[in-house]
Amino acid sequence: MSEVRWKAVRPLRHRDYRLLWTGLAVALLGSGLWLVALAWQVIELGGGPVQLSVVTTAYSVGLVVCVLFGGVAADRLPQRSVIVAADTVRGVVLLVVAGLALSGLLEIWQLAVGAVLIGAGEAFLIPAYTALVPRLLPPDELLAANGLEGTLRPLAQQATGPALGGLAIAALSPGVAILVAALTYFFSAACVLAMNVRSEPAVVQDTEGAETDVPTGARRWSPTCGRGGATSGRPGGCSPRCSSARCSCC
């Protein structure tokens, strides 16, 4: 039983994944806190079921509209940068919303716009997080990482976060709860920035055409180099632009 438990938490022994997981945990707490604060903020502004439905739908619209763009960004951009940008945007948005709420200037439409941006940030964060995890862990620990995330999401976002949000609202105000949620996103971004993500290996082809991983920055060998091309007496029949037998002929 102890061995099973150890395997379930083995991914946390890796520093970079531990930072990523910690940032996600705190950000999920903020998301749960934000959802409760959002409802009470609408009520405090004099809104009813219709206004609350509009604001919550705005979050879903931002998530659905941007999820495809988030997948493209996670595929073509550094995942760590995408996560940091998504968390920073969400933190800034909630910081502005909290400032407006605490100063008495917040309106329903501003809350709806903020919800759209929060949903958009979530749409960019999820694919980037999913793509980054395999770069931080060995393949045999990915299943355990999925289990950790699967346990964390309902525990933090659906239980602990709303509970903390209720306490903050009861003790202070919805605006303060939104401010705390903003700080959780900034904390998550700081955790991701503290990571040392290794570069992805480049993929090259050997003489039989099979793909082989080599360290990033290594030159890509061209099978046409020295095979029918101009030569200058270099090893392997390389062209004059080549520096060795396994080189890059652009």
Side-chain angles (χ1 to χ4, degrees):
M1 182 63 68
S2 60
E3 183 179 354
V4 173
R5 291 176 181 175
W6 165 244
K7 288 182 178 180
V9 297
R10 276 185 67 189
L12 294 176
R13 65 193 177 95
H14 301 278
R15 175 184 177 275
D16 285 343
Y17 178 76
R18 189 165 60 248
L19 285 169
L20 182 66
W21 186 87
T22 301
L24 177 67
V26 175
L28 288 175
L29 286 174
S31 295
L33 196 155
W34 148 254
L35 292 175
V36 173
L38 176 67
W40 281 100
Q41 188 63 69
V42 170
I43 295 172
E44 190 175 87
L45 293 175
V50 174
Q51 288 77 12
L52 181 58
S53 298
V54 168
V55 174
T56 54
T57 301
Y59 168 83
S60 300
V61 168
L63 180 64
V64 172
V65 169
C66 295
V67 68
L68 292 178
F69 299 102
V72 173
D75 183 58
R76 300 189 178 184
L77 299 175
Q79 290 91 22
R80 184 172 70 164
S81 300
V82 174
I83 295 174
V84 170
D87 278 335
T88 302
V89 168
R90 294 192 298 171
V92 169
V93 169
L94 289 191
L95 203 61
V96 172
V97 172
L100 291 172
L102 294 174
S103 61
L105 301 175
L106 184 64
E107 298 181 10
I108 295 291
W109 70 267
Q110 295 169 333
L111 205 55
V113 171
V116 170
L117 296 176
I118 295 297
E122 188 81 9
F124 278 86
L125 183 139
I126 294 174
Y129 177 90
T130 303
L132 182 58
V133 170
R135 296 176 55 193
L136 306 178
L137 299 173
D140 60 341
E141 295 183 12
L142 293 179
L143 187 60
N146 290 336
L148 284 172
E149 182 187 352
T151 303
L152 175 65
R153 191 169 293 275
L155 181 63
Q157 189 172 16
Q158 301 174 16
T160 310
L164 293 176
L167 292 175
I169 293 168
L172 299 167
S173 69
V176 173
I178 295 174
L179 176 61
V180 174
L183 297 179
T184 64
Y185 292 141
F186 288 127
F187 178 86
S188 176
C191 287
V192 177
L193 282 174
M195 295 166 52
N196 296 316
V197 182
R198 66 180 184 272
S199 301
E200 290 191 72
V203 178
V204 300
Q205 289 188 336
D206 58 19
T207 54
E208 285 76 23
E211 292 186 347
T212 306
D213 291 341
V214 298
T216 300
R219 293 172 177 258
R220 177 168 296 190
W221 175 68
S222 173
T224 60
C225 171
R227 297 176 182 269
T231 61
S232 61
R234 294 176 178 269
C238 294
S239 66
R241 290 181 293 175
C242 300
S243 58
S244 67
R246 296 185 64 83
C247 59
S248 174
C249 290
C250 302

